[in-house]
């Protein structure tokens, strides 16, 4: 890279004519031909706040190299910004390489480049692990959950929970699982104590394990992308429900002595978590643990949709647009408070 600047600037902070070093995620590459029949590539880069196009014409030094640039990957850019009345802020790439963990010393944080969840991924993982150790006492089940979480740690930190419906942003799947585990903790304590004469009792560890594993198949169903996750071929043909059951079953086979009954109940909770056949469940919930997981999943997904509609709504009236995921109803925005309480201290 040529030496252009040493101080790293946020892409969203650059101004017309500025030369800077920025971190940005490559969102999209578009190929085309000019009127003179010359090839070009337009690369769209973004951070959490803005997107900027980098046009590479046929004589640009990086047009051949750009063929190997990966959508969804973060890059360290040396660039010059220029404002165009028609196209807005554009960037000229002067140097480029993939961002690495070592760039953290210069402020690199992948989650600052894309729309992402509210909390740092490590904080969510630590919270989930605390519940694993608190509630999953059966050693085979605990080993299975920890092994799957460890084996898929990197992708789990990035994957959205869905392409469009709920938690559809970087880290959304992890945030969904964390939120469900927190609600699950409250409900297993309540119902475990409420129905304390059940024999066998409500299996709190199974509920927490099923919550963590219920959407694990989405790591195979979807291919990560910082703007909109894409379905894999297998995801389109099989779907995350069965793919998640298969991943759990494959892992259980590597654990000596895994109890058959316990595996069956875990598989059932995963297969039935959509609650109804018309929602894609191959089987209806038939255990109290599976019922809890299904209701918690439905509640958390719908609350995310409703809350984000209120946060992101751009309508001029008191209601959001109609929300397909909520039976086309509109959500009332309410009267804003002057100083909303944003204390997250007890969230974990």
């Amino acid at each position: 890279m040529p030496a252009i600047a040493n101080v790293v600037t946020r892409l969203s902070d650059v101004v017309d004519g500025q030369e800077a070093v920025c971190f940005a995620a490559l969102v999209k590459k578009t190929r085309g031909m000019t009127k003179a029949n010359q090839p070009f590539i337009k690369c769209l880069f973004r951070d959490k706040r803005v997107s900027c196009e980098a046009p590479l014409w046929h004589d640009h030094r990086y047009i051949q190299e750009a063929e190997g640039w990966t959508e969804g990957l973060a890059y360290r850019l040396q660039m010059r910004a220029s404002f165009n009345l028609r196209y807005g802020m554009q960037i000229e790439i002067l140097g480029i390489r993939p961002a690495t963990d070592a760039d953290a010393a210069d402020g690199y944080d992948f989650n600052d480049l894309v729309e992402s969840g509210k909390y740092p991924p490590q904080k969510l993982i630590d919270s989930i692990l605390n519940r694993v150790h608190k509630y999953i006492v059966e050693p085979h089940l605990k080993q299975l959950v920890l092994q799957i979480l460890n084996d898929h740690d990197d992708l789990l930190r990035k994957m959205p929970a869905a392409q469009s419906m709920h938690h559809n942003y970087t880290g959304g799947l992890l945030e969904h699982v964390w939120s469900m585990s927190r609600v699950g903790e409250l409900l297993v304590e309540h119902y475990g104590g409420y129905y304390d004469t059940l024999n066998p009792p409500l299996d709190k560890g199974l509920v927490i394990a099923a919550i963590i594993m219920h959407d694990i198949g989405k790591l195979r169903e979807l291919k990560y992308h910082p703007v909109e996750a894409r379905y894999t071929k297998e995801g389109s043909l099989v779907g995350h429900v069965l793919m998640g059951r298969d991943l759990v079953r494959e892992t259980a086979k590597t654990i000596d002595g895994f109890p058959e009954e316990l595996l069956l109940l875990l598989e059932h909770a995963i297969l039935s978590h959509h609650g109804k056949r018309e929602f894609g469940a191959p089987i209806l919930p038939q255990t109290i643990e599976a019922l809890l997981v299904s209701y918690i999943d439905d509640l958390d997904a719908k609350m995310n949709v409703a809350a984000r509609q209120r946060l992101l709504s751009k309508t001029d009236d008191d209601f959001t647009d109609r929300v397909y995921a909520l039976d086309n109803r509109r959500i009332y925005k309410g009267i804003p408070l002057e100083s909303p309480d944003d204390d997250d201290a007890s969230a974990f």
Side-chain angles (χ1 to χ4, degrees), residues 45 54 56 60 62 69 77-79 91-96:
F45 290 92
L56 306 175
H60 194 284
Y62 286 114
W69 297 346
L77 305 175
Q78 290 181 334
M79 44 75 72
I91 59 176
E92 177 186 357
I93 298 176
L94 306 173
I96 182 171

Side-chain angles (χ1 to χ4, degrees), residues 60-93:
H60 194 284
R61 60 178 293 194
Y62 286 114
I63 190 166
Q64 297 297 327
E65 185 178 322
E67 292 291 347
W69 297 346
T70 304
E71 291 184 4
L73 195 66
Y75 289 87
R76 183 177 179 128
L77 305 175
Q78 290 181 334
M79 44 75 72
R80 182 185 294 115
S82 61
F83 182 77
N84 184 295
L85 286 176
R86 182 176 180 182
Y87 299 108
M89 191 69 77
Q90 292 188 317
I91 59 176
E92 177 186 357
I93 298 176

Side-chain angles (χ1 to χ4, degrees), residues 5 85 99 151 212 237 257 284 342:
L85 286 176
D151 289 348
I212 297 170
L237 295 176
L284 302 182
D342 193 30

Side-chain angles (χ1 to χ4, degrees), residues 65 154 242 300 311 333:
E65 185 178 322
D154 181 64
L242 291 176
D300 194 68
L311 288 168
K333 297 178 184 178

